[in-house]
Amino acid sequence: MAESRRWWALVVISLAQLMVVLDMTIVNIALPSAQADLNMSDGNRQWVITAYTLAFGGLLLLGGRIADLVGRRNTFVIGLLGFAAASALGGAAANSGMLFGARALQGVFAALLAPSALSLLATTFTDPKDRSKAFGIFGAIIGAGAAVGLLAGGILTEYLDWRWCLYVNIPIALVAFFGALALLEVGERHPDARLDVPGALLGSAGMLSIVYGFSEAESRSWHDGLVVTLLVAGVVLLGLFGLWQTRAKVPLLPMSVVRDRQRVGAFLTTLFVTIGMFGTFLFLTYYLQGVLGWSPLKTGVAYLPMTVAMVIGSTQVAARLLGKVPPRFLIVPGLLVAAGGLAIIAQVGVEPAYASHVLPGMIMLGLGMSTAMMTSVSLATGSVAPRDSGAASATFNTAQQVGGSIGTALLNTIAASVTARYVTAHAGAGVDRRLLAAKATVHGFNVATYWALAALLLAAAIAGLVVNADRAPTPQATQERTPEPVDTAT
C-alpha cells in the first residue's frame, strides 16, 4: 500500500474506532435526560451502557473469527452499516426496552467492526517507527474517545436532544463506509476458519450471567439465591468455554493467542483497568449533573482536560517511549498515576469540588490511563501471527468490553447499595431530606470509586509481575522469527 494511502487508511480505521469507543460514553451525559424521558429506574439505568458493552464483549471473539472467514474489510463495512442502523433505532426509542435492545444491537455490530479495525491497523503498519506513530494515534483515540463522547453528549443533549447522541453515529458511519471502500484493501481470507457457535454461546451466556448477577445484587442483596445462582453459573459457563476452546477444531480463542505471556498480561491489565474506569465516568457525570446541578454542556466541557491529558499520554509519552523502554515501565507507572487521580476524586463532598479534586484527578487519570492502554494495545497485537490477528484483536477488545460491563454493573450496584444504607443510617426527624440524599449519593460514589482504584492497583500489579518483555514486539519481528508451517498433507 502506498505511503500516503496507508495514513489515509489510518484515518478511516480511526474514525470507525472513535465511533465505537465514543458510544461507550456518549450516552453517559444524556443518561439523566433519557432516564427521565423513558421512566427508567435507578437500578435499570445502567443497562443503557451495559447492554452495549455486554453484547460487544460477548460477541467480539466471534466477530474476530468472522473477520478471518470473510475478510477484514468486508466485516468492517458490514459493521459500519449495521451500527448506523442500530443507532437510528435507538434514537427513535419509544420506551426503555426499545433503547436497551438498540444498544445491544449496536454492540453486536461493534463486535464485527472493532476486531477488523484493530487487525487492519496491525497488518497495515508493520515498520516499527510507523507502527509506533499509528498506535500512538489509535491509542489516543481509545483513551480520548471516551472523553470526547462525554463532551459530544453534553453538546447534543444541551442544544438538541439526548436522542442525537445516537443519531450522530449515522453520518460518521457513512463517511467511514465510503472511505473504507476507497482506501482499504480487501484483505486476506482464511479458508480454514470456522464459526465456533458452541464457544460463542458458552462465552456470551457466561458473561451475561455474571453481569446480570451483579446488576441484580443492588435490588435483591448479594446473598439472594438468584444472584448467587447467576454468578456461579457465569463462572461455570466461562470455565466450560475455556475447556471447549482447548478441544474445538477451530476455536474462537486459539491457544496460541493466550500462551504468550506478554499478551496475557496486556489482556488482564486491560480487563481490570476498564472495570475501574467505566463506573468512574458514570459517577462523575451524575455527581456533576445530579449533585452540583451542572448542565449537560457544562458537564461535557468539564471532561476536556482529561481528553487533552489522554492525547498527551498516548502520543507524547507512550508512543515516544514504547520502543525504548520495557512496556511494564510505561504500564505500571501509568496505572499508579491514574489510581492517584481516583484517590483524589474519591474525596469529593456535596460542595463544589471541581477545581480542587475533580480537575486534578481527571488530568492524572487521563495521562496515566492512556499511557498504559496504548502500551497494552501494542503488546496485545504486536507478536501475533497474521492468521490469528483477528482473534488477538478481538480478545483485547473483549477484555475491554467485558471489563466495562462488569465494572459498570458492579460499581453501580456498590454505589446504590452504599447510598441506600447511608440514608437508612442517617434518616430521622428534622433531617433535611434533600441534603441527606445528596450526601448519601456522594458517599456511594466515593466508596465505589475506591473499588475502582483497587481495580487499577490490581491491574498495575498484574502488569508488573506478568509483562517482562524488554521491548514491545512488532509483527515484522514476529514474522522474521516464526517459520512458515510445513504442509504435511502433500
Side-chain angles (χ1 to χ4, degrees):
M1 184 183 290
E3 183 70 14
S4 61
R5 185 172 176 175
R6 280 197 307 149
W7 292 104
W8 278 111
L10 174 62
V11 173
V12 171
I13 295 168
S14 299
L15 187 63
Q17 184 68 20
L18 175 63
M19 181 180 68
V20 169
V21 175
L22 181 146
D23 252 67
M24 299 176 202
T25 58
I26 192 171
V27 297
N28 276 22
I29 298 290
L31 193 50
S33 300
Q35 182 178 359
D37 192 17
L38 300 180
N39 298 315
M40 293 181 227
S41 67
D42 287 346
N44 286 335
R45 69 188 179 196
Q46 54 96 8
W47 282 105
V48 176
I49 299 169
T50 306
Y52 176 75
T53 56
L54 184 59
F56 194 177
L59 296 174
L60 266 165
L61 289 172
L62 185 61
R65 186 56 70 194
I66 291 174
D68 291 336
L69 181 64
V70 304
R72 299 183 188 106
R73 193 191 74 168
N74 293 338
T75 309
F76 186 78
V77 296
I78 292 170
L80 286 169
L81 291 179
F83 200 94
S87 299
L89 180 64
N95 52 59
S96 59
M98 185 174 174
L99 179 59
F100 297 160
R103 289 285 288 167
L105 195 58
Q106 279 184 314
V108 170
F109 286 104
L112 290 177
L113 183 59
S116 303
L118 192 52
S119 57
L120 282 167
L121 180 70
T123 53
T124 300
F125 294 91
T126 56
D127 178 75
K129 185 177 179 181
D130 287 347
R131 180 180 174 84
S132 292
K133 292 179 182 178
F135 271 80
I137 295 170
F138 197 75
I141 288 170
I142 289 178
V148 169
L150 295 166
L151 174 61
I155 294 172
L156 293 171
T157 303
E158 181 86 5
Y159 291 109
L160 293 172
D161 184 78
W162 67 265
R163 298 176 184 277
W164 280 95
C165 293
L166 295 161
Y167 288 143
V168 71
N169 293 316
I170 300 172
I172 296 175
L174 292 178
V175 169
F177 171 77
F178 289 113
L181 293 181
L183 295 167
L184 299 182
E185 295 179 351
V186 174
E188 181 183 0
R189 298 185 184 188
H190 299 278
D192 59 338
R194 297 290 184 272
L195 298 184
D196 179 15
V197 177
L201 292 175
L202 287 169
S204 300
M207 285 182 282
L208 175 61
S209 183
I210 288 175
V211 173
Y212 188 50
F214 282 141
S215 66
E216 285 295 297
E218 187 271 327
S219 59
R220 293 176 176 269
S221 86
W222 291 100
H223 304 291
D224 181 79
L226 177 62
V227 172
V228 173
T229 299
L230 286 168
L231 295 177
V232 171
V235 172
V236 171
L237 287 168
L238 290 179
L240 291 174
F241 168 78
L243 180 63
W244 173 255
Q245 294 308 287
T246 64
R247 300 185 177 187
K249 291 183 179 179
V250 186
L252 288 178
L253 183 59
M255 291 299 103
S256 59
V257 171
V258 293
R259 284 195 189 108
D260 183 88
R261 176 173 182 157
Q262 314 311 319
R263 280 198 297 274
V264 170
F267 296 152
L268 291 175
T269 298
T270 299
L271 174 70
F272 285 102
V273 167
T274 49
I275 283 177
M277 294 313 306
F278 274 66
T280 301
F281 285 140
L282 181 65
F283 301 148
L284 279 174
T285 298
Y286 271 89
Y287 170 75
L288 295 175
Q289 288 191 51
V291 177
L292 301 187
W294 288 15
S295 68
L297 176 59
K298 189 176 180 180
T299 302
V301 171
Y303 282 99
L304 274 178
M306 184 165 65
T307 305
V308 175
M310 286 177 169
V311 172
I312 293 172
S314 292
T315 62
Q316 302 305 311
V317 179
R320 290 178 181 273
L321 297 177
L322 186 60
K324 300 176 182 179
V325 301
R328 65 181 179 276
F329 286 4
L330 294 172
I331 298 175
V332 175
L335 293 180
L336 292 178
V337 169
L342 287 184
I344 296 173
I345 291 172
Q347 305 300 316
V348 299
V350 294
E351 301 81 11
Y354 179 78
S356 61
H357 290 76
V358 177
L359 178 59
M362 278 184 172
I363 292 173
M364 293 174 65
L365 194 59
L367 188 64
M369 185 183 67
S370 59
T371 300
M373 288 296 288
M374 185 269 179
T375 308
S376 296
V377 171
S378 188
L379 274 179
T381 59
S383 62
V384 69
R387 65 182 178 275
D388 290 330
S389 64
S393 303
T395 305
F396 174 81
N397 279 287
T398 297
Q400 190 177 23
Q401 300 310 315
V402 170
S405 299
I406 294 174
T408 302
L410 175 61
L411 296 181
N412 186 68
T413 295
I414 291 172
S417 300
V418 171
T419 298
R421 288 199 300 269
Y422 188 96
V423 170
T424 301
H426 293 82
V431 174
D432 185 333
R433 291 187 178 182
R434 290 188 62 183
L435 180 59
L436 175 60
K439 287 183 176 180
T441 299
V442 171
H443 179 63
F445 290 169
N446 289 344
V447 171
T449 301
Y450 278 119
W451 280 89
L453 186 157
L456 263 62
L457 291 178
L458 180 57
I462 291 171
L465 293 172
V466 178
V467 177
N468 63 355
D470 290 332
R471 295 291 184 272
T474 64
Q476 190 178 57
T478 302
Q479 292 171 24
E480 288 173 358
R481 70 172 184 266
T482 304
E484 288 296 319
V486 177
D487 187 357
T488 59
T490 57

